[in-house]
Amino acid sequence: MATDNSFARLMKSYGRLTIFLIPIGIAVNFVGGQIALLLKLPLYLDSIGTILVGATCGALPGALVGLLSNAINSITSPPTFAFAILNVLFGLLAGLLGRYGVFKSWWKTLLSAIPFAFIGGFGGALITIWVLGGAAVGGTGLVVGSLVAAGMPVNTANFVAQLPIDLVDKVPTVLIVFAIISGIPRRLMVKLPLGYVYLSPSGGGPGTGATGASRVR
Amino acid sequence: MSADQDRGGAAIRAEDFIDGFRRPATQGNRVRDMNPISVFLVLGSLAVIAVAVPGIVAPSTVCVVLVLISLAGGVGRPFIGNFSRLFVAIGLLLFVLRSAFAGGTPVLFTIGAITVSMEGVLEGLRFALVVMAISGTVTLYFALIPIKYSMLALELKGVTPRATYVLLAAFQAITDLGKNARVIMDAQKARGIETEGNFVQRVRAFVPVLAPVFLSAIAATEEKAIALDARAFNSRVNHSHLVTLRPTPAWEVVFVAIAILCAVVACAGAVVPWY
């Protein structure tokens, strides 16, 4: 039967709500970037949906959001697809961290920006060097170009530019994810695959204890 | 016009509308009416040729062929506009950066630490043209084929409707959530949320805009789930379709086979040089 294949079985294991949250996660990635532009922020903020879905639905749905976001983005900006692996890794990492309850407290969430920034910065620099020959595009490209013009080797310039830029981007990203997770109502949270993590009595996460109860509407 | 004539006209229009679903979907153009998978294979073959054949002639030719296909498909104006923007925004930048960093001989000129050589310029030109050829095939595919027909073609090939739903819903959600975000941002501005000012202030304004967008989208998923259940989306039988694609004619199969053969020859040439 056409519908009874591995994708359908995988999605079924994650629950029906996950199927609806994947498109929303993809859209949030786009909308996040658009809002950043509207607010004139010098940040990407284009992986909020990936981390959000990963943290609430699990690693594989998060990775799928990352992959599809870059695939759709590549329609208008094809080089973006080369960086899809980074967004996939963000989703996988968010799922893993979400399972361990990292997004239940703000300070753990803040610390999680470091591995996300490492993946984005280090991986982004590697892909730029391997696939684009070190020719970064966008704002990062200008920083890399300036460093090269100042005499730095192109590979070093990519790492030096991309790691701090990604850290500055990922700190607000994970804090926004934390704020949104904190606002997810308990009756919806209970239906999400990783909802039990956030509803469990241990820790001060969303939907738990006195502080959690005040956050859950 | 009498009321009877009015009713007669409406009945004919309704009959035409209903009849439209009895016939295979058409966009009124031979290229755009090709099966989405055939278009994908032809454009994919062109991208492979651009990558596999060395030099700048192949990717340049592929770019020209893409423009010709877009004209034949009746999407010349939007495609050429988008493709030109890609050339300026990405192609030109890649060419300049690649030429500057590639090194090589003979040296044409030097600016500070950057040395530009003929070898670097040629390498930069090929790299930019190959990226543009690949970009062009992706852009042209989506200009020629509506996403709903692509998903229908995949479903007819056995892809689960859950996967095609995710993709279709993602495109729709991008549009819907984008509109919502603008409305919510205006509403939050009216309520006194600072969307201008220093960096921290603007970052703080992000949450009251994005959080309602996401939470309202999640809340709407319950209604969507009910709507899909009412249409037996989760039923474990083959789904019926309101729209059908036209049967693939023999000339289309031959055309696709030739395109794939050209791509295979180009790849073989890259492994066993024949040039």
Short mmCIF file of all heavy atoms in Angstrom, two decimals, chain A residues 1-4 7 16-17 20 22-24 32 39-41 45 48 52 75-76 78 131-133 135-136 148 176 180 187-188 191 217, chain B residues 86 93 97-98 101 127 135 139 142 160-161 163 165-166 169-170 173 181 195 202 206 209 214-215 217-218 221-222 225 228-229 234 236 238:
data_model
loop_
_atom_site.label_atom_id
_atom_site.label_comp_id
_atom_site.label_asym_id
_atom_site.label_seq_id
_atom_site.Cartn_x
_atom_site.Cartn_y
_atom_site.Cartn_z
N MET A 1 0.85 -1.20 0.00
CA MET A 1 0.00 0.00 0.00
C MET A 1 0.88 1.25 0.00
O MET A 1 1.88 1.32 0.71
CB MET A 1 -0.88 -0.03 1.25
CG MET A 1 -2.11 0.86 1.15
SD MET A 1 -3.10 0.69 2.62
CE MET A 1 -3.61 -1.00 2.51
N ALA A 2 0.46 2.20 -0.81
CA ALA A 2 1.32 3.38 -1.01
C ALA A 2 1.60 4.12 0.29
O ALA A 2 2.70 4.59 0.53
CB ALA A 2 0.67 4.31 -2.01
N THR A 3 0.57 4.23 1.14
CA THR A 3 0.74 5.06 2.33
C THR A 3 1.50 4.33 3.44
O THR A 3 1.96 4.96 4.39
CB THR A 3 -0.62 5.49 2.89
OG1 THR A 3 -1.39 4.34 3.10
CG2 THR A 3 -1.32 6.43 1.94
N ASP A 4 1.60 3.03 3.33
CA ASP A 4 2.19 2.26 4.42
C ASP A 4 3.69 2.09 4.20
O ASP A 4 4.22 0.98 4.19
CB ASP A 4 1.48 0.89 4.49
CG ASP A 4 1.84 0.18 5.79
OD1 ASP A 4 2.26 0.86 6.73
OD2 ASP A 4 1.72 -1.06 5.82
N PHE A 7 8.38 6.26 5.66
CA PHE A 7 8.17 7.64 6.11
C PHE A 7 6.89 7.73 6.95
O PHE A 7 6.87 8.35 8.01
CB PHE A 7 8.08 8.59 4.91
CG PHE A 7 7.92 10.05 5.31
CD1 PHE A 7 9.01 10.82 5.65
CD2 PHE A 7 6.65 10.63 5.36
CE1 PHE A 7 8.86 12.15 6.03
CE2 PHE A 7 6.50 11.95 5.74
CZ PHE A 7 7.61 12.71 6.07
N ARG A 16 0.71 12.46 15.29
CA ARG A 16 0.16 13.21 14.16
C ARG A 16 0.50 14.69 14.23
O ARG A 16 0.69 15.34 13.21
CB ARG A 16 -1.36 13.01 14.15
CG ARG A 16 -1.97 13.26 12.81
CD ARG A 16 -3.43 12.93 12.82
NE ARG A 16 -3.66 11.50 12.99
CZ ARG A 16 -4.85 10.97 13.19
NH1 ARG A 16 -5.90 11.75 13.26
NH2 ARG A 16 -5.00 9.68 13.33
N LEU A 17 0.61 15.23 15.44
CA LEU A 17 0.88 16.66 15.59
C LEU A 17 2.23 17.04 14.97
O LEU A 17 2.41 18.16 14.48
CB LEU A 17 0.83 17.06 17.07
CG LEU A 17 0.68 18.54 17.38
CD1 LEU A 17 -0.57 19.12 16.73
CD2 LEU A 17 0.63 18.78 18.88
N PHE A 20 2.10 18.19 11.46
CA PHE A 20 1.64 19.57 11.30
C PHE A 20 2.70 20.57 11.76
O PHE A 20 2.74 21.70 11.30
CB PHE A 20 0.34 19.81 12.10
CG PHE A 20 -0.79 18.95 11.63
CD1 PHE A 20 -1.29 17.94 12.42
CD2 PHE A 20 -1.33 19.14 10.37
CE1 PHE A 20 -2.31 17.14 11.97
CE2 PHE A 20 -2.36 18.34 9.92
CZ PHE A 20 -2.86 17.33 10.71
N ILE A 22 6.00 20.24 11.47
CA ILE A 22 7.15 20.34 10.56
C ILE A 22 6.98 21.52 9.60
O ILE A 22 7.88 22.37 9.50
CB ILE A 22 7.41 19.01 9.83
CG1 ILE A 22 7.95 17.98 10.83
CG2 ILE A 22 8.42 19.19 8.68
CD1 ILE A 22 8.04 16.57 10.29
N PRO A 23 5.83 21.64 8.90
CA PRO A 23 5.66 22.83 8.03
C PRO A 23 5.73 24.14 8.82
O PRO A 23 6.28 25.13 8.32
CB PRO A 23 4.27 22.65 7.43
CG PRO A 23 3.93 21.23 7.59
CD PRO A 23 4.66 20.74 8.80
N ILE A 24 5.19 24.13 10.05
CA ILE A 24 5.22 25.36 10.84
C ILE A 24 6.68 25.71 11.19
O ILE A 24 7.08 26.87 11.12
CB ILE A 24 4.36 25.21 12.12
CG1 ILE A 24 2.89 25.08 11.73
CG2 ILE A 24 4.54 26.40 13.07
CD1 ILE A 24 1.96 24.76 12.88
N GLY A 32 11.34 34.00 10.80
CA GLY A 32 12.37 34.50 11.72
C GLY A 32 13.35 35.39 10.97
O GLY A 32 13.68 36.50 11.43
N LEU A 39 13.25 44.15 11.67
CA LEU A 39 13.76 44.82 12.87
C LEU A 39 15.19 45.35 12.66
O LEU A 39 15.81 45.83 13.61
CB LEU A 39 13.74 43.84 14.06
CG LEU A 39 12.35 43.44 14.58
CD1 LEU A 39 12.47 42.34 15.62
CD2 LEU A 39 11.63 44.63 15.19
N LYS A 40 15.67 45.20 11.43
CA LYS A 40 17.01 45.66 11.05
C LYS A 40 18.08 45.06 11.96
O LYS A 40 19.00 45.75 12.41
CB LYS A 40 17.09 47.20 11.08
CG LYS A 40 16.10 47.88 10.16
CD LYS A 40 16.32 49.39 10.17
CE LYS A 40 15.21 50.12 9.45
NZ LYS A 40 14.08 50.48 10.30
N LEU A 41 17.93 43.76 12.25
CA LEU A 41 18.92 43.08 13.09
C LEU A 41 19.99 42.46 12.21
O LEU A 41 19.67 41.82 11.21
CB LEU A 41 18.24 41.98 13.92
CG LEU A 41 17.30 42.44 15.03
CD1 LEU A 41 16.51 41.26 15.57
CD2 LEU A 41 18.08 43.09 16.15
N LEU A 45 18.98 34.49 12.38
CA LEU A 45 17.79 34.00 13.11
C LEU A 45 16.92 33.10 12.22
O LEU A 45 15.69 33.19 12.26
CB LEU A 45 16.96 35.18 13.65
CG LEU A 45 17.68 36.10 14.66
CD1 LEU A 45 16.77 37.25 15.09
CD2 LEU A 45 18.16 35.33 15.88
N ILE A 48 15.45 29.10 14.07
CA ILE A 48 14.58 29.02 15.26
C ILE A 48 13.59 27.85 15.11
O ILE A 48 13.40 27.08 16.05
CB ILE A 48 13.82 30.36 15.45
CG1 ILE A 48 14.81 31.47 15.78
CG2 ILE A 48 12.78 30.24 16.57
CD1 ILE A 48 14.20 32.86 15.79
N LEU A 52 13.33 24.68 17.51
CA LEU A 52 12.05 24.58 18.21
C LEU A 52 11.39 23.21 17.99
O LEU A 52 10.97 22.54 18.95
CB LEU A 52 11.14 25.69 17.68
CG LEU A 52 9.95 26.16 18.48
CD1 LEU A 52 10.32 26.44 19.92
CD2 LEU A 52 9.37 27.41 17.84
N ILE A 75 15.57 27.43 -3.62
CA ILE A 75 14.84 27.78 -4.85
C ILE A 75 15.21 29.20 -5.27
O ILE A 75 15.40 29.49 -6.45
CB ILE A 75 13.30 27.68 -4.62
CG1 ILE A 75 12.92 26.22 -4.36
CG2 ILE A 75 12.53 28.22 -5.83
CD1 ILE A 75 11.50 26.05 -3.87
N THR A 76 15.33 30.09 -4.28
CA THR A 76 15.68 31.47 -4.61
C THR A 76 17.17 31.76 -4.41
O THR A 76 17.69 32.69 -4.99
CB THR A 76 14.87 32.46 -3.74
OG1 THR A 76 14.98 32.05 -2.38
CG2 THR A 76 13.41 32.49 -4.15
N PRO A 78 20.20 29.21 -4.49
CA PRO A 78 20.68 27.81 -4.55
C PRO A 78 21.92 27.46 -3.70
O PRO A 78 21.98 26.36 -3.16
CB PRO A 78 20.92 27.58 -6.03
CG PRO A 78 19.98 28.54 -6.69
CD PRO A 78 19.96 29.75 -5.81
N VAL A 131 33.17 23.79 -0.55
CA VAL A 131 32.22 23.89 -1.66
C VAL A 131 32.38 25.19 -2.44
O VAL A 131 32.35 25.19 -3.66
CB VAL A 131 30.76 23.76 -1.14
CG1 VAL A 131 29.76 23.86 -2.28
CG2 VAL A 131 30.58 22.45 -0.39
N LEU A 132 32.56 26.29 -1.72
CA LEU A 132 32.61 27.59 -2.40
C LEU A 132 34.04 28.12 -2.51
O LEU A 132 34.24 29.29 -2.88
CB LEU A 132 31.72 28.62 -1.66
CG LEU A 132 30.23 28.23 -1.52
CD1 LEU A 132 29.49 29.26 -0.69
CD2 LEU A 132 29.57 28.09 -2.87
N GLY A 133 35.01 27.29 -2.17
CA GLY A 133 36.40 27.69 -2.30
C GLY A 133 36.78 28.87 -1.42
O GLY A 133 37.67 29.65 -1.75
N ALA A 135 34.86 31.37 -0.77
CA ALA A 135 34.15 32.59 -1.16
C ALA A 135 32.81 32.67 -0.46
O ALA A 135 31.79 32.27 -1.00
CB ALA A 135 33.96 32.61 -2.68
N ALA A 136 32.82 33.16 0.78
CA ALA A 136 31.58 33.29 1.55
C ALA A 136 30.73 34.39 0.93
O ALA A 136 31.25 35.33 0.35
CB ALA A 136 31.89 33.63 3.00
N VAL A 148 40.86 39.00 4.57
CA VAL A 148 41.81 38.58 3.53
C VAL A 148 42.57 39.79 2.99
O VAL A 148 43.78 39.73 2.80
CB VAL A 148 41.07 37.83 2.38
CG1 VAL A 148 42.01 37.57 1.21
CG2 VAL A 148 40.51 36.51 2.90
N ILE A 176 15.15 32.81 22.24
CA ILE A 176 13.80 32.94 21.66
C ILE A 176 13.10 31.58 21.69
O ILE A 176 11.91 31.49 22.00
CB ILE A 176 13.89 33.51 20.21
CG1 ILE A 176 14.33 34.98 20.25
CG2 ILE A 176 12.56 33.38 19.48
CD1 ILE A 176 14.84 35.52 18.93
N ILE A 180 9.58 30.80 23.54
CA ILE A 180 8.41 30.23 22.85
C ILE A 180 7.97 28.93 23.53
O ILE A 180 6.78 28.71 23.76
CB ILE A 180 8.70 30.00 21.35
CG1 ILE A 180 8.89 31.35 20.65
CG2 ILE A 180 7.57 29.22 20.69
CD1 ILE A 180 9.28 31.26 19.19
N ARG A 187 -1.97 22.04 27.47
CA ARG A 187 -2.82 21.09 26.77
C ARG A 187 -2.24 20.73 25.38
O ARG A 187 -2.54 19.69 24.83
CB ARG A 187 -4.25 21.63 26.63
CG ARG A 187 -4.39 22.84 25.78
CD ARG A 187 -5.81 23.35 25.71
NE ARG A 187 -5.88 24.49 24.82
CZ ARG A 187 -5.93 24.39 23.50
NH1 ARG A 187 -5.97 23.20 22.94
NH2 ARG A 187 -5.96 25.46 22.75
N LEU A 188 -1.41 21.65 24.81
CA LEU A 188 -0.73 21.33 23.54
C LEU A 188 0.59 20.62 23.81
O LEU A 188 0.96 19.69 23.09
CB LEU A 188 -0.48 22.60 22.74
CG LEU A 188 -1.65 23.12 21.90
CD1 LEU A 188 -1.31 24.45 21.27
CD2 LEU A 188 -2.02 22.10 20.82
N LYS A 191 0.68 16.90 24.02
CA LYS A 191 0.52 16.12 22.79
C LYS A 191 1.82 16.02 21.99
O LYS A 191 1.90 15.28 21.02
CB LYS A 191 -0.55 16.77 21.89
CG LYS A 191 -1.95 16.73 22.46
CD LYS A 191 -2.89 17.46 21.54
CE LYS A 191 -4.26 17.57 22.19
NZ LYS A 191 -5.12 18.48 21.43
N ARG A 217 -0.14 29.27 29.69
CA ARG A 217 -1.44 29.92 29.67
C ARG A 217 -2.53 28.91 29.38
O ARG A 217 -2.34 28.00 28.62
CB ARG A 217 -1.44 31.02 28.60
CG ARG A 217 -0.58 32.19 29.00
CD ARG A 217 -0.76 33.31 28.02
NE ARG A 217 -0.13 33.03 26.75
CZ ARG A 217 1.11 33.37 26.45
NH1 ARG A 217 1.83 34.03 27.32
NH2 ARG A 217 1.64 33.11 25.28
N LEU B 86 20.00 36.65 -9.83
CA LEU B 86 20.93 35.65 -9.25
C LEU B 86 22.34 35.88 -9.78
O LEU B 86 23.32 35.77 -9.04
CB LEU B 86 20.47 34.24 -9.62
CG LEU B 86 19.42 33.58 -8.74
CD1 LEU B 86 19.06 32.21 -9.28
CD2 LEU B 86 19.91 33.43 -7.30
N LEU B 93 29.45 37.93 -7.43
CA LEU B 93 30.19 37.89 -6.16
C LEU B 93 31.12 36.68 -6.12
O LEU B 93 32.29 36.79 -5.74
CB LEU B 93 29.19 37.84 -4.99
CG LEU B 93 29.79 38.03 -3.60
CD1 LEU B 93 30.27 39.46 -3.42
CD2 LEU B 93 28.75 37.70 -2.53
N LEU B 97 35.17 36.91 -5.87
CA LEU B 97 35.88 36.34 -4.71
C LEU B 97 36.77 35.17 -5.13
O LEU B 97 37.91 35.05 -4.69
CB LEU B 97 34.88 35.89 -3.64
CG LEU B 97 34.13 37.02 -2.92
CD1 LEU B 97 33.05 36.45 -2.02
CD2 LEU B 97 35.08 37.86 -2.09
N ARG B 98 36.23 34.31 -6.00
CA ARG B 98 37.00 33.13 -6.45
C ARG B 98 38.24 33.57 -7.23
O ARG B 98 39.32 33.02 -7.06
CB ARG B 98 36.09 32.26 -7.31
CG ARG B 98 36.66 30.90 -7.63
CD ARG B 98 36.41 29.93 -6.51
NE ARG B 98 36.89 28.61 -6.88
CZ ARG B 98 36.63 27.51 -6.20
NH1 ARG B 98 35.93 27.55 -5.12
NH2 ARG B 98 37.10 26.35 -6.59
N PHE B 101 40.88 34.87 -4.83
CA PHE B 101 41.52 33.93 -3.89
C PHE B 101 42.22 32.76 -4.59
O PHE B 101 42.94 32.00 -3.96
CB PHE B 101 40.50 33.35 -2.91
CG PHE B 101 39.83 34.40 -2.05
CD1 PHE B 101 38.53 34.22 -1.61
CD2 PHE B 101 40.52 35.53 -1.67
CE1 PHE B 101 37.91 35.17 -0.83
CE2 PHE B 101 39.90 36.50 -0.88
CZ PHE B 101 38.59 36.32 -0.46
N PHE B 127 33.59 28.53 -12.21
CA PHE B 127 32.89 28.23 -10.95
C PHE B 127 31.56 28.98 -10.88
O PHE B 127 30.52 28.40 -10.59
CB PHE B 127 33.80 28.61 -9.78
CG PHE B 127 33.22 28.28 -8.44
CD1 PHE B 127 33.13 26.97 -8.01
CD2 PHE B 127 32.74 29.28 -7.60
CE1 PHE B 127 32.58 26.66 -6.78
CE2 PHE B 127 32.20 28.98 -6.37
CZ PHE B 127 32.12 27.66 -5.96
N SER B 135 21.86 26.77 -10.28
CA SER B 135 20.82 27.65 -9.73
C SER B 135 19.69 27.85 -10.73
O SER B 135 18.52 27.85 -10.38
CB SER B 135 21.41 29.01 -9.38
OG SER B 135 22.51 28.87 -8.53
N THR B 139 15.70 27.20 -10.29
CA THR B 139 14.76 28.32 -10.44
C THR B 139 13.77 28.05 -11.58
O THR B 139 12.57 28.30 -11.43
CB THR B 139 15.56 29.61 -10.74
OG1 THR B 139 16.60 29.73 -9.77
CG2 THR B 139 14.68 30.85 -10.66
N PHE B 142 10.92 25.47 -10.75
CA PHE B 142 9.81 26.00 -9.95
C PHE B 142 9.03 27.09 -10.70
O PHE B 142 7.91 27.40 -10.32
CB PHE B 142 10.31 26.49 -8.59
CG PHE B 142 10.64 25.34 -7.68
CD1 PHE B 142 11.93 24.89 -7.54
CD2 PHE B 142 9.62 24.67 -7.02
CE1 PHE B 142 12.23 23.80 -6.73
CE2 PHE B 142 9.90 23.58 -6.21
CZ PHE B 142 11.20 23.14 -6.07
N THR B 160 4.39 8.76 -0.06
CA THR B 160 3.27 8.87 0.87
C THR B 160 2.67 10.28 0.88
O THR B 160 3.42 11.27 0.84
CB THR B 160 3.71 8.47 2.30
OG1 THR B 160 2.67 8.82 3.21
CG2 THR B 160 4.96 9.18 2.73
N PRO B 161 1.35 10.39 0.96
CA PRO B 161 0.71 11.71 1.01
C PRO B 161 1.17 12.53 2.22
O PRO B 161 1.11 13.75 2.19
CB PRO B 161 -0.78 11.40 1.11
CG PRO B 161 -0.93 10.02 0.61
CD PRO B 161 0.34 9.32 0.92
N ALA B 163 4.22 12.86 3.28
CA ALA B 163 5.43 13.58 2.87
C ALA B 163 5.08 14.75 1.95
O ALA B 163 5.57 15.86 2.12
CB ALA B 163 6.39 12.64 2.16
N TYR B 165 2.21 16.25 1.79
CA TYR B 165 1.46 17.23 2.59
C TYR B 165 2.43 18.16 3.31
O TYR B 165 2.23 19.38 3.34
CB TYR B 165 0.55 16.53 3.61
CG TYR B 165 -0.02 17.52 4.60
CD1 TYR B 165 -1.10 18.32 4.27
CD2 TYR B 165 0.58 17.70 5.86
CE1 TYR B 165 -1.59 19.27 5.16
CE2 TYR B 165 0.10 18.65 6.74
CZ TYR B 165 -0.99 19.42 6.39
OH TYR B 165 -1.45 20.36 7.26
N VAL B 166 3.48 17.57 3.91
CA VAL B 166 4.46 18.37 4.66
C VAL B 166 5.04 19.47 3.77
O VAL B 166 5.12 20.64 4.16
CB VAL B 166 5.57 17.47 5.24
CG1 VAL B 166 6.77 18.29 5.69
CG2 VAL B 166 5.05 16.66 6.42
N ALA B 169 2.20 21.99 2.67
CA ALA B 169 1.81 22.80 3.83
C ALA B 169 2.92 23.79 4.20
O ALA B 169 2.63 24.90 4.67
CB ALA B 169 1.49 21.90 5.02
N ALA B 170 4.18 23.39 3.99
CA ALA B 170 5.29 24.29 4.31
C ALA B 170 5.23 25.54 3.44
O ALA B 170 5.38 26.65 3.94
CB ALA B 170 6.62 23.57 4.12
N ALA B 173 2.37 27.58 4.65
CA ALA B 173 2.64 28.16 5.98
C ALA B 173 3.60 29.36 5.88
O ALA B 173 3.46 30.32 6.63
CB ALA B 173 3.22 27.10 6.91
N ALA B 181 2.90 37.53 10.75
CA ALA B 181 4.00 38.19 11.45
C ALA B 181 3.92 39.70 11.27
O ALA B 181 4.14 40.47 12.22
CB ALA B 181 5.34 37.67 10.94
N THR B 195 10.19 48.56 18.56
CA THR B 195 10.80 47.77 17.49
C THR B 195 11.98 48.52 16.88
O THR B 195 12.57 48.06 15.91
CB THR B 195 9.77 47.47 16.37
OG1 THR B 195 9.25 48.71 15.91
CG2 THR B 195 8.65 46.59 16.86
N ARG B 202 15.85 45.78 20.01
CA ARG B 202 15.26 45.18 18.81
C ARG B 202 15.20 43.66 18.93
O ARG B 202 14.25 43.04 18.47
CB ARG B 202 16.04 45.62 17.56
CG ARG B 202 15.68 47.04 17.13
CD ARG B 202 16.46 47.48 15.93
NE ARG B 202 17.84 47.82 16.30
CZ ARG B 202 18.90 47.62 15.54
NH1 ARG B 202 18.75 47.08 14.35
NH2 ARG B 202 20.10 47.94 15.95
N PHE B 206 11.69 40.87 19.23
CA PHE B 206 11.52 39.67 18.39
C PHE B 206 10.53 38.69 19.02
O PHE B 206 9.66 38.13 18.32
CB PHE B 206 12.90 39.01 18.23
CG PHE B 206 13.00 38.13 17.03
CD1 PHE B 206 13.49 38.62 15.84
CD2 PHE B 206 12.60 36.81 17.09
CE1 PHE B 206 13.59 37.81 14.72
CE2 PHE B 206 12.69 36.00 15.98
CZ PHE B 206 13.19 36.50 14.80
N VAL B 209 6.77 39.22 18.81
CA VAL B 209 6.27 39.10 17.42
C VAL B 209 6.21 37.63 17.02
O VAL B 209 5.18 37.13 16.56
CB VAL B 209 7.17 39.90 16.44
CG1 VAL B 209 6.69 39.70 15.01
CG2 VAL B 209 7.16 41.38 16.79
N PHE B 214 3.92 31.69 16.20
CA PHE B 214 4.11 30.25 16.37
C PHE B 214 2.97 29.62 17.16
O PHE B 214 2.43 28.58 16.78
CB PHE B 214 5.46 29.98 17.06
CG PHE B 214 5.75 28.52 17.23
CD1 PHE B 214 6.16 27.75 16.15
CD2 PHE B 214 5.62 27.90 18.46
CE1 PHE B 214 6.42 26.40 16.30
CE2 PHE B 214 5.89 26.55 18.63
CZ PHE B 214 6.29 25.80 17.54
N LEU B 215 2.59 30.27 18.26
CA LEU B 215 1.56 29.68 19.13
C LEU B 215 0.19 29.63 18.43
O LEU B 215 -0.54 28.65 18.58
CB LEU B 215 1.47 30.45 20.45
CG LEU B 215 2.75 30.34 21.30
CD1 LEU B 215 2.62 31.20 22.54
CD2 LEU B 215 3.05 28.90 21.69
N ALA B 217 -0.18 29.38 15.24
CA ALA B 217 -0.05 28.33 14.21
C ALA B 217 -0.23 26.95 14.84
O ALA B 217 -0.89 26.08 14.26
CB ALA B 217 1.31 28.43 13.53
N ILE B 218 0.33 26.75 16.04
CA ILE B 218 0.16 25.45 16.72
C ILE B 218 -1.32 25.24 17.06
O ILE B 218 -1.86 24.14 16.87
CB ILE B 218 0.96 25.38 18.04
CG1 ILE B 218 2.45 25.38 17.76
CG2 ILE B 218 0.62 24.13 18.81
CD1 ILE B 218 3.25 25.05 19.01
N THR B 221 -3.37 23.90 14.35
CA THR B 221 -3.11 22.53 13.88
C THR B 221 -4.23 21.58 14.27
O THR B 221 -4.50 20.62 13.56
CB THR B 221 -1.78 21.98 14.44
OG1 THR B 221 -1.83 22.04 15.86
CG2 THR B 221 -0.59 22.73 13.91
N GLU B 222 -4.89 21.85 15.40
CA GLU B 222 -5.97 20.96 15.83
C GLU B 222 -7.11 20.99 14.80
O GLU B 222 -7.67 19.96 14.45
CB GLU B 222 -6.47 21.38 17.21
CG GLU B 222 -5.49 20.99 18.30
CD GLU B 222 -5.93 21.43 19.68
OE1 GLU B 222 -6.47 22.55 19.79
OE2 GLU B 222 -5.74 20.67 20.62
N ALA B 225 -6.06 19.12 11.77
CA ALA B 225 -6.13 17.67 11.99
C ALA B 225 -7.55 17.16 11.80
O ALA B 225 -7.76 16.13 11.14
CB ALA B 225 -5.64 17.35 13.41
N LEU B 228 -8.43 17.27 8.05
CA LEU B 228 -7.82 16.17 7.29
C LEU B 228 -8.48 14.84 7.61
O LEU B 228 -8.67 14.00 6.73
CB LEU B 228 -6.31 16.11 7.58
CG LEU B 228 -5.46 17.21 6.95
CD1 LEU B 228 -4.01 17.01 7.29
CD2 LEU B 228 -5.63 17.21 5.43
N ASP B 229 -8.83 14.64 8.88
CA ASP B 229 -9.53 13.40 9.26
C ASP B 229 -10.88 13.31 8.56
O ASP B 229 -11.29 12.24 8.12
CB ASP B 229 -9.73 13.35 10.78
CG ASP B 229 -8.52 12.72 11.47
OD1 ASP B 229 -7.74 12.04 10.76
OD2 ASP B 229 -8.35 12.93 12.69
N ASN B 234 -5.97 10.09 6.82
CA ASN B 234 -5.21 9.04 7.50
C ASN B 234 -5.71 7.63 7.20
O ASN B 234 -5.24 6.67 7.80
CB ASN B 234 -5.21 9.30 9.01
CG ASN B 234 -4.44 10.55 9.34
OD1 ASN B 234 -3.26 10.64 9.08
ND2 ASN B 234 -5.12 11.57 9.88
N ARG B 236 -6.04 4.12 5.50
CA ARG B 236 -4.96 3.29 4.96
C ARG B 236 -5.33 2.70 3.60
O ARG B 236 -5.13 1.53 3.33
CB ARG B 236 -4.62 2.19 5.95
CG ARG B 236 -4.01 2.72 7.23
CD ARG B 236 -3.98 1.64 8.29
NE ARG B 236 -3.05 0.59 7.95
CZ ARG B 236 -1.75 0.64 8.19
NH1 ARG B 236 -1.23 1.69 8.76
NH2 ARG B 236 -0.97 -0.36 7.85
N ASN B 238 -5.49 3.80 -0.86
CA ASN B 238 -4.96 4.78 -1.81
C ASN B 238 -5.87 5.99 -1.89
O ASN B 238 -7.10 5.84 -1.94
CB ASN B 238 -4.81 4.13 -3.19
CG ASN B 238 -3.62 3.20 -3.23
OD1 ASN B 238 -2.65 3.39 -2.51
ND2 ASN B 238 -3.72 2.17 -4.03
#
